[in-house]
Amino acid sequence: MVADAETPMRFADLLRQSGLPKPTFARILRTLIAFGLVRQNEERGTYVIGPRFLELSHRVWDTFDLPTAAAPELERLSAELGETVALCKLDGEHVLYIDERSGDGLGVRVDTGRRAPLHCTAAGKVLLAFQEPGFARALLERLVLERFTAHTITGIEALQADLTLTRARGYSVSYEEHLAGVNSVAVAIAGKDGTPIGALVTLGPSSRLDASHIHPVGRELIAAARRITGAAGAIAISSRPRPRSSQSQTPDDLACVLPWGAQLGEAPVWDPVTRKLCWVDILHPAVYRFDPKSGRNEICETGKLVSAVMPCADGRLVAATQDGIEFLDFASGRLDTLVDPEAGIQENRLNDAKVGPGGAIWVGSMRLDASKPSGALYRVGADGTVARKESGISVGNGMAWSPDNSVFYFVDTVPGLIYAYDFQPGEGVLANRRVLARIPEAEGRPDGIAVDTEGGIWCAIWDGWRVNRYLPDGRLERSIDLPVPRPTSIAFGGDDMATLYITSARTRLPASTLSEAPLSGGLFACRPGWRGTPVTLFDPSAGLPG
């Protein structure tokens, strides 16, 4: 009970959950403390796992038998999914299948002892993606990217983009890359130092294990991999949304204007020139332009992770990608690099980005798996100059400015904080950081934000089924209830800037939640009664001399 508790529990809570008589329970707890298996925080009156578990865990790893530990999960997954599920490990420059279970019906058969290439199988790619960076680079240099089908990745840059996406998503996918008609999805089984000791993979006919089914299977594999080793895993994205709140209000005109099913819809921004809403899907890498009048959603597939886009004065878009800040020609998909604020930091990626009132780009970063506060906040000028404004950020997320541009708001998602800073446009000077709002974990996590002309701060609450509006003093003024658990970001748009657009995600949601919230990943809109502040276009020519 102590180990499984999401937050440290008090004596009364543990007693009630145990169902034991109080004297019996007290004796058990005292014994566990005496043997170092449980530790009491006397100041807070709570109980956590004791230090002796470190010693015991080392003994477990020294004798850990992966095939035996994985066998129950292989049986269960194969029966529940109706597809072949296999256990693999890295074998030189190949992936080796060491155990498998197949369903009773027609499916994909895998022979134990078979070796397969790394670059075009889901199991191989996930084993590559989660290796220590130096080892992964050396392994990639030795690989021969042989073509097996028309979908095989044969370029090193495309493969690295796929591996980056795998790390961000937590699982890898292969759409007929190795065998025609066969799709697969895989997760890494982490060892005691976090590097993979194996992989779980599900293989099935592409007609069954298609794009609509492969991602939910990935979530099931993640949970199974954690059960095999007991490791919680590093990725901070939860798979358990909070219950709906009964205190929120749903506007009468709230509608899903685009039931798209995005894996991680994000970064909506209104383009006042084209009169369209630009947005992205981070985990199915693409940039979109939604026309609210026609309902048409144009797509530009980028081939690599893109986390935010911003309209430019010259008609292009500027995007935050896995390779830095780049100009995007939407029609052709061409990307041209402006600057990479985190060149050489392979564990990180850029996340949300906005053009500030002074014309510079502000962009936050994060570790790919969100496991450590290695992110930062940067200001990027039109001439490509970069200034780091904050560090020690877990997930650098939503950002916005007060109507008079005197206050800058910035979200760090994992600790649940919305910060406010004193702000000076032009030079981008930040000062006097303070916490505007702290969202309790039990209520969700703050994500994207936007500001209205009256100074209200709107925030999408991931796993919270809602959007909150805060007053400039940090008080929660109201909440808008949504039919999806994972709203991700928000933006005001329309000719009058009075329509609130809300992106959402379906990544890692269990099947039970998706059945309750089938519109997850869709684009929503309503007119809440406030107008947004004007959008600032990025002007590349402002950085040119003369």
Side-chain angles (χ1 to χ4, degrees), residues 44-217:
R44 298 183 179 180
T46 57
Y47 296 85
V48 296
I49 289 298
R52 186 144 191 268
F53 268 101
L54 289 175
E55 175 191 341
L56 297 177
S57 67
H58 284 295
R59 296 184 186 178
V60 171
W61 283 115
D62 289 342
T63 59
F64 188 75
D65 182 353
L66 179 59
T68 300
E73 291 299 329
L74 293 179
E75 295 282 359
R76 185 189 61 81
L77 287 167
S78 179
E80 291 183 1
L81 300 175
E83 303 290 359
T84 296
V85 182
L87 178 67
C88 309
K89 69 175 184 179
L90 188 65
D91 183 24
E93 297 164 24
H94 292 81
V95 58
L96 175 67
Y97 291 91
I98 58 178
D99 201 0
E100 65 86 30
R101 299 292 188 278
S102 300
D104 295 331
L106 293 175
V108 177
R109 300 296 175 181
V110 175
D111 295 327
T112 299
R114 174 188 167 200
R115 300 167 81 237
L118 291 175
H119 69 286
C120 58
T121 58
K125 289 192 292 183
V126 82
L127 288 170
L128 272 173
F130 288 94
Q131 296 293 337
E132 186 275 326
F135 179 80
R137 283 195 299 271
L139 188 53
L140 282 171
E141 290 174 357
R142 299 198 304 268
L143 291 184
V144 176
L145 306 186
E146 181 182 353
R147 180 178 295 280
F148 291 89
T149 74
H151 303 285
T152 303
I153 297 175
T154 57
I156 191 65
E157 289 187 4
L159 178 58
Q160 289 174 330
D162 196 294
L163 298 180
T164 298
L165 183 60
T166 293
R167 292 201 59 153
R169 191 169 45 202
Y171 56 87
S172 64
V173 296
S174 170
Y175 292 109
E176 301 188 61
E177 294 175 33
H178 183 219
L179 298 171
V182 175
N183 291 347
S184 59
V185 53
V187 303
I189 302 172
K192 62 180 178 180
D193 59 355
T195 57
I197 57 173
L200 275 179
V201 58
T202 297
L203 307 97
S206 55
S207 58
R208 287 204 306 256
L209 197 60
D210 57 14
S212 63
H213 293 92
I214 207 165
H215 296 289
V217 171

Side-chain angles (χ1 to χ4, degrees), residues 186-359:
V187 303
I189 302 172
K192 62 180 178 180
D193 59 355
T195 57
I197 57 173
L200 275 179
V201 58
T202 297
L203 307 97
S206 55
S207 58
R208 287 204 306 256
L209 197 60
D210 57 14
S212 63
H213 293 92
I214 207 165
H215 296 289
V217 171
R219 193 210 70 84
E220 296 295 333
L221 292 179
I222 288 173
R226 291 176 176 177
R227 285 192 293 268
I228 288 171
T229 61
I235 295 175
I237 297 178
S238 166
S239 60
R240 290 183 291 181
R242 278 63 181 169
R244 288 198 200 206
S245 170
S246 59
Q247 300 177 353
S248 304
Q249 301 174 349
T250 302
D252 293 336
D253 66 340
L254 178 73
C256 182
V257 294
L258 184 67
W260 196 255
Q263 286 299 309
L264 185 53
E266 267 285 6
V269 59
W270 181 255
D271 186 340
V273 177
T274 62
R275 296 180 178 179
K276 296 176 181 178
L277 185 83
C278 300
W279 63 288
V280 306
D281 186 345
I282 297 177
L283 298 185
H284 184 83
V287 177
Y288 301 102
R289 285 197 306 206
F290 173 70
D291 184 347
K293 291 186 177 180
S294 68
R296 184 184 176 195
N297 192 48
E298 301 173 279
I299 181 172
C300 174
E301 293 188 346
T302 58
K304 62 181 176 181
L305 189 148
V306 175
S307 57
V309 288
M310 297 144 280
C312 293
D314 62 6
R316 292 181 294 175
L317 296 172
V318 62
T321 81
Q322 68 186 56
D323 294 323
I325 302 297
E326 301 188 83
F327 292 107
L328 170 65
D329 180 77
F330 190 90
S332 66
R334 176 176 172 176
L335 286 160
D336 296 301
T337 300
L338 172 63
V339 67
D340 186 355
E342 294 197 328
I345 308 179
Q346 296 186 355
E347 298 299 298
N348 277 15
R349 70 167 174 86
L350 300 182
N351 198 37
D352 204 1
K354 294 279 182 69
V355 178

